[in-house]
Amino acid sequence: MDMDGVLQAADAKDWVYKGEGAANLILSYTGSSPSMLGKVLRVKKVLKDKSQPAPSCLVFSSHEKLLWGHISELVESVKQDCLAQAYAVHVMSQHLGANHVDGGVRVRVSRDFLELVEKNVLSSRPAWRVNASSIDNTADAALLIPDHSLFSGNPKGSSCIAVEIKAKCGFLPSSEYISEDNSIKKQVTRYKMHQHLKFHQGEISKTSEYNPLDLFSESKERIRMAIKSFFSTPQNNFRIFVNGSLAFGGMGGGTDSVHPADTDKCIEDLSKVSGLELPDFTELLSETIFKSGVLGKLLTTQKLDYHDIEGAIHLYYNIISQPCLVCKNLTDVELLRKYTLLHSLPLDKSLKIVRDFLISATAKDCSLMISFRPRENGSTDSEYDSVFLESVKRTYEYKAYFVDLDVKPLVKMEHYFKLDQKIVNFYTSNGEVLPSPKSSNTKDTSPIQLQQ
């Protein structure tokens, strides 16, 4: 779906920086056009280091056409430059639920608009993001999406609090294709292992206490524990918006750290706007995650990766019809036998396994936006689900949407494999000798210490 008209240089002043990920920059609308109010614009970025693999797929290679060609809307969307929208609607919404995915509409943009926007938002962007990427000013379109940190048609005087959670991978793999040397993957979360590598590389100042297994556990107590850990080390996993404006958390990226004073100010703002103290807010969020069941859908989608990258990489070589670089140097006879069986699979099976792996990769990397507002007294007819917060005797409406649902490029498979090996090798060599974010006199109350 397109919108008429083209955003021109004169429109740039109405768009301000809201945040960004690896592939896109998000702009928030501040003007008065009725068709744009309550919307954000998702603008494509390009990496400055051309040797790095692109974070999302923009065009289909001949192998990608093999992979996704059975979905005609995807193949068509490449020609129309709206692949991200089509992938969200025709692939991810099938797994995550159409009521939790919004593909947005495509709007045309001029080069002047993109160049001026880039200049205007430069000072708002984190320095490391500026060094890594810039707005793709050759693009002729962007995606206009509802701002899920707000409710459309929010009643005057009513407040909206939204939380953005990048939940990461919520399960431990059990694939038979994981080598004995890497069996630690079956006991320790990928998130925890990656934290140690990031700490070593100076990307973060301390390792996070967050354990994805807690958030996905379907246990209220453990969900609460996960939310509390976000407050001490939000990194790029957790942000809070009050009436659409960022109140807590970084602008994205592991280098962000939140000062205790910022936490205090956020809690103060939350309290002012909503009347909720931090324990109430934590309870509201955990109750909603528990009740909504949205993370269950996300976890099921993540678990489409049932071969692990150590299995899926072999099917990738089947698809591109190249000799397998992994098998080339392998001496483990038992593993070679398993991998040889993978290489003998017919093309349609190889395509399905890799396709599922890439859908899972999107699900492991996307964000969940949950927005809340108090239900008006006496109001019973609402399009939104609600949760009753016992501590303040108040009902809150909520909506939950998944964002950042880009298709991952097939060529990234080798990158995924190398990064996986790097993370595991570093952790098995150095893992537990790194300083813990907890002070030495703090007792770890996690029920599954090994699996953090």
Side-chain angles (χ1 to χ4, degrees), residues 230-428:
F230 282 140
F231 275 98
S232 56
T233 43
Q235 292 185 12
N236 69 334
N237 296 91
F238 189 71
R239 300 198 293 167
I240 298 173
F241 298 88
V242 174
N243 293 331
S245 298
L246 184 68
F248 179 78
M251 286 295 188
T255 47
D256 293 317
S257 57
V258 173
H259 194 272
D262 295 339
T263 307
D264 293 342
K265 186 183 181 305
C266 168
I267 293 163
E268 206 176 292
D269 289 349
L270 273 179
S271 183
K272 258 188 226 157
V273 170
S274 66
L276 294 175
E277 298 299 329
L278 186 59
D280 299 325
F281 177 69
T282 303
E283 185 59 31
L284 176 63
L285 183 53
S286 57
E287 187 65 38
T288 305
I289 288 170
F290 181 80
K291 185 183 172 183
S292 68
V294 284
L295 286 183
K297 288 183 171 165
L298 185 62
L299 186 60
T300 301
T301 310
Q302 291 182 354
K303 284 183 173 179
L304 289 172
D305 168 23
Y306 45 86
H307 281 68
D308 191 75
I309 186 61
E310 291 188 53
I313 189 70
H314 301 278
L315 290 316
Y316 164 72
Y317 287 112
N318 287 2
I319 292 166
I320 64 168
S321 307
Q322 296 283 328
C324 178
L325 298 179
V326 179
C327 289
K328 196 171 115 182
N329 306 313
L330 206 61
T331 53
D332 185 318
V333 179
E334 179 55 24
L335 267 184
L336 256 177
R337 186 188 63 77
K338 285 181 183 175
Y339 295 159
T340 304
L341 284 173
L342 288 178
H343 286 297
S344 68
L345 287 176
L347 181 62
D348 62 335
K349 282 218 170 118
S350 296
L351 288 168
K352 171 142 188 9
I353 290 165
V354 171
R355 195 161 51 236
D356 284 348
F357 178 88
L358 292 174
I359 292 170
S360 162
T362 296
K364 290 172 186 173
D365 204 33
C366 72
S367 292
L368 172 65
M369 293 282 295
I370 305 180
S371 311
F372 301 96
R373 69 175 176 195
R375 177 167 282 179
E376 305 236 292
N377 287 334
S379 164
T380 51
D381 55 331
S382 172
E383 60 184 293
Y384 299 108
D385 289 321
S386 65
V387 63
F388 181 72
L389 189 57
E390 183 62 45
S391 60
V392 293
K393 301 283 189 281
R394 184 124 209 219
T395 300
Y396 287 83
E397 295 180 337
Y398 70 86
K399 59 173 185 166
Y401 278 89
F402 293 104
V403 295
D404 300 336
L405 298 171
D406 294 295
V407 55
K408 302 295 184 185
L410 178 63
V411 74
K412 241 188 144 176
M413 291 294 287
E414 287 183 342
H415 165 77
Y416 287 138
F417 181 77
K418 285 173 189 163
L419 180 61
D420 183 70
Q421 298 297 300
K422 191 176 178 182
I423 289 169
V424 177
N425 290 343
F426 182 80
Y427 189 79
T428 48

Side-chain angles (χ1 to χ4, degrees), residues 113-128:
F113 170 79
L114 293 173
E115 285 174 350
L116 200 48
V117 158
E118 173 138 67
K119 196 173 149 195
N120 292 351
V121 304
L122 194 63
S123 60
S124 303
R125 296 180 64 201
W128 73 277

Side-chain angles (χ1 to χ4, degrees), residues 144-211:
L144 190 70
I145 305 168
D147 185 344
H148 292 304
S149 67
L150 295 166
F151 279 83
S152 56
N154 215 30
K156 275 197 169 57
S158 172
S159 58
C160 173
I161 298 166
V163 179
E164 181 181 348
I165 299 172
K166 200 183 258 289
K168 306 310 281 187
C169 181
F171 71 99
L172 294 171
S174 56
S175 166
E176 63 178 301
Y177 303 106
I178 295 171
S179 71
E180 194 56 45
D181 289 348
N182 296 342
S183 61
I184 190 75
K185 283 159 69 168
K186 299 177 179 182
Q187 301 166 297
V188 179
T189 63
R190 156 71 171 242
Y191 181 76
K192 178 174 180 173
M193 289 193 280
H194 202 177
Q195 282 284 301
H196 284 286
L197 180 63
K198 284 180 173 179
F199 180 86
H200 171 71
Q201 292 174 333
E203 290 178 35
I204 52 176
S205 55
K206 67 172 181 173
T207 54
S208 171
E209 293 173 39
Y210 169 56
N211 177 2

Side-chain angles (χ1 to χ4, degrees), residues 3-266:
M3 283 191 71
D4 296 333
V6 181
L7 290 174
Q8 304 285 1
D11 300 305
K13 66 181 187 313
D14 294 331
W15 295 94
V16 297
Y17 183 81
K18 177 116 180 172
E20 64 188 291
N24 302 282
L25 189 133
I26 307 297
L27 302 166
S28 194
Y29 186 67
T30 59
S32 55
S33 161
S35 64
M36 299 288 185
L37 281 173
K39 304 282 201 302
V40 293
L41 196 66
R42 213 175 84 134
V43 182
K44 279 190 301 201
K45 299 197 305 182
V46 285
L47 293 175
K48 291 180 178 173
D49 181 355
K50 300 297 176 207
S51 68
Q52 291 296 312
S56 69
C57 192
L58 301 177
V59 290
F60 275 173
S61 65
S62 57
H63 295 123
E64 254 132 5
K65 284 177 187 159
L66 264 182
L67 203 62
W68 302 108
H70 64 295
I71 306 173
S72 58
E73 294 89 350
L74 284 194
V75 181
E76 281 302 306
S77 72
V78 175
K79 297 175 198 164
Q80 297 160 13
D81 193 27
C82 55
L83 178 57
Q85 178 193 19
Y87 185 72
V89 171
H90 296 288
V91 178
M92 296 311 296
S93 74
Q94 310 300 309
H95 295 280
L96 300 173
N99 53 334
H100 298 301
V101 173
D102 192 325
V105 295
R106 183 175 175 269
V107 289
R108 290 187 295 149
V109 290
S110 69
R111 188 176 188 125
D112 290 347
F113 170 79
L114 293 173
E115 285 174 350
L116 200 48
V117 158
E118 173 138 67
K119 196 173 149 195
N120 292 351
V121 304
L122 194 63
S123 60
S124 303
R125 296 180 64 201
W128 73 277
R129 287 283 194 199
V130 174
N131 294 337
S133 59
S134 54
I135 285 178
D136 180 4
N137 55 28
T138 65
D140 63 358
L143 262 187
L144 190 70
I145 305 168
D147 185 344
H148 292 304
S149 67
L150 295 166
F151 279 83
S152 56
N154 215 30
K156 275 197 169 57
S158 172
S159 58
C160 173
I161 298 166
V163 179
E164 181 181 348
I165 299 172
K166 200 183 258 289
K168 306 310 281 187
C169 181
F171 71 99
L172 294 171
S174 56
S175 166
E176 63 178 301
Y177 303 106
I178 295 171
S179 71
E180 194 56 45
D181 289 348
N182 296 342
S183 61
I184 190 75
K185 283 159 69 168
K186 299 177 179 182
Q187 301 166 297
V188 179
T189 63
R190 156 71 171 242
Y191 181 76
K192 178 174 180 173
M193 289 193 280
H194 202 177
Q195 282 284 301
H196 284 286
L197 180 63
K198 284 180 173 179
F199 180 86
H200 171 71
Q201 292 174 333
E203 290 178 35
I204 52 176
S205 55
K206 67 172 181 173
T207 54
S208 171
E209 293 173 39
Y210 169 56
N211 177 2
L213 301 186
D214 287 337
L215 193 69
F216 285 91
S217 67
E218 296 186 355
S219 148
K220 281 191 202 176
E221 190 46 50
R222 289 179 64 189
I223 292 168
R224 270 195 291 271
M225 207 153 63
I227 293 164
K228 283 173 186 166
S229 68
F230 282 140
F231 275 98
S232 56
T233 43
Q235 292 185 12
N236 69 334
N237 296 91
F238 189 71
R239 300 198 293 167
I240 298 173
F241 298 88
V242 174
N243 293 331
S245 298
L246 184 68
F248 179 78
M251 286 295 188
T255 47
D256 293 317
S257 57
V258 173
H259 194 272
D262 295 339
T263 307
D264 293 342
K265 186 183 181 305
C266 168

